[in-house]
Amino acid sequence: MNEVTGRVNEQYTKLDDFFALKKKNLELQRQNERLLNLMKENFVIPDTSTKVVTDSIPYDTLGHHRKWAYQAAKVVSNSVSTQNNFIVLGRGTAQQVKKDEGVIDANNGVIGIVTDVSENYAVVMSLLHKDSRINAILKNDPQGGGTIIWDGKEPNYLSMINVRKSVKVAKGDTVFTSGITTTFPYGLMIGTVEEVMPEKSTNNYTIKIKSTANFYNLQYVYAIENYQREEINKLVEKAKTKINN
């Protein structure tokens, strides 16, 4: 009887530990979200020489304004085995997730861009998609910019193309976001250099990248909102209209 009771208690303890761990993971996720939103890199100092009108939230009395905001989301669906892989998040417009927001994993590894949203869900085009294009630079040579694509072969391995042969690059070098678009802040991890392959017909390298994010095991991620995107996009559209006229 003692042995049976002990086994039952042991199983109960394991079950109790499982739910306790799940609760702890949720607490850590929320804590990480708060820490990400407190990083100074997510704020900018407006030009004080002119009056600035903005909807962004002041950071402090020095006039810093928030540019980037992070929101945690649970992955409810994910694929890695097709040519066009998507990730579905359990947050949508009702939870302030918007189209064109960048998405990263818990280790600040880039995983994709939101392409569509419903009231409670969002679809993310994974980096493991034949149409995915992300601007990137090399940490050891910031002039060494290129484009991150996926060749459809190995999940967790990407390609960086259009990299000039004059760039200094070696295995193990870090690759991160360039910050030249309204989708991702500067300096988010994309991966590390695995192999450098000179292209015979061009003056460029193709670089094999091991992704920072583990696409096989995505559970919680962070959608990144750019508070200045709408203003920038309106300005660009206005400039295009003038050119076309």
Side-chain angles (χ1 to χ4, degrees):
M1 180 63 71
N2 287 338
E3 184 176 350
V4 172
T5 303
R7 289 180 179 176
V8 171
N9 288 337
E10 182 182 5
Q11 294 302 317
Y12 176 81
T13 300
K14 288 181 179 179
L15 186 63
D16 191 50
D17 287 346
F18 171 78
F19 286 111
L21 180 61
K22 185 176 181 180
K23 182 179 179 181
K24 186 64 176 179
N25 284 337
L26 183 59
E27 291 174 355
L28 290 173
Q29 170 209 342
R30 290 172 176 169
Q31 182 181 18
N32 197 36
E33 180 185 73
R34 289 194 296 270
L35 292 174
L36 284 170
N37 281 310
L38 288 174
M39 293 192 307
K40 289 187 177 181
E41 289 83 355
N42 299 322
F43 300 85
V44 293
I45 302 175
D47 184 357
T48 56
S49 62
T50 57
K51 183 179 179 180
V52 177
V53 179
T54 176
D55 292 330
S56 54
I57 303 170
Y59 174 56
D60 58 22
T61 56
L62 297 177
H64 295 79
H65 288 76
R66 175 176 290 282
K67 181 177 181 180
W68 305 98
Y70 293 73
Q71 182 177 191
K74 181 176 176 57
V75 174
V76 298
S77 177
N78 180 31
S79 65
V80 298
S81 59
T82 72
Q83 293 294 302
N84 300 316
N85 294 292
F86 290 94
I87 302 161
V88 180
L89 309 182
R91 284 182 180 271
T93 54
Q95 295 82 28
Q96 289 78 51
V97 172
K98 301 178 180 66
K99 185 179 178 182
D100 297 327
E101 291 185 350
V103 182
I104 61 173
D105 71 357
N107 297 314
N108 285 349
V110 175
I111 64 172
I113 299 173
V114 175
T115 57
D116 202 3
V117 290
S118 64
E119 185 176 359
N120 295 298
Y121 295 95
V123 173
V124 178
M125 178 189 285
S126 169
L127 291 188
L128 307 183
H129 190 292
K130 68 179 181 62
D131 294 330
S132 174
R133 298 290 185 275
I134 301 289
N135 292 313
I137 58 176
L138 293 158
K139 181 179 180 180
N140 291 339
D141 191 344
Q143 301 304 314
T147 303
I148 300 295
I149 65 170
W150 188 52
D151 60 12
K153 296 178 181 178
E154 298 178 86
N156 291 341
Y157 284 95
L158 308 163
S159 295
M160 186 174 179
I161 60 174
N162 301 326
V163 182
R164 301 187 311 274
K165 288 182 180 178
S166 58
V167 169
K168 297 178 181 178
V169 57
K171 183 176 180 179
D173 287 352
T174 303
V175 180
F176 52 80
T177 52
S178 63
I180 63 174
T181 70
T182 59
T183 306
F184 291 103
Y186 171 86
L188 293 177
M189 287 283 292
I190 297 175
T192 54
V193 174
E194 187 75 11
E195 184 179 359
V196 181
M197 299 166 285
E199 297 176 3
K200 295 181 180 179
S201 59
T202 71
N203 198 35
N204 294 331
Y205 287 129
T206 293
I207 302 175
K208 185 177 182 179
I209 307 294
K210 180 174 176 55
S211 65
T212 298
N214 181 358
F215 288 91
Y216 285 105
N217 186 29
L218 294 175
Q219 297 182 21
Y220 288 96
V221 299
Y222 297 89
I224 309 173
E225 180 180 0
N226 183 343
Y227 281 18
Q228 299 176 351
R229 176 185 286 114
E230 185 176 352
E231 183 177 352
I232 293 172
N233 288 343
K234 285 182 179 179
L235 190 61
V236 171
E237 288 301 319
K238 184 177 180 181
K240 288 180 179 179
T241 301
K242 287 184 177 180
I243 293 175
N244 293 331
N245 292 337

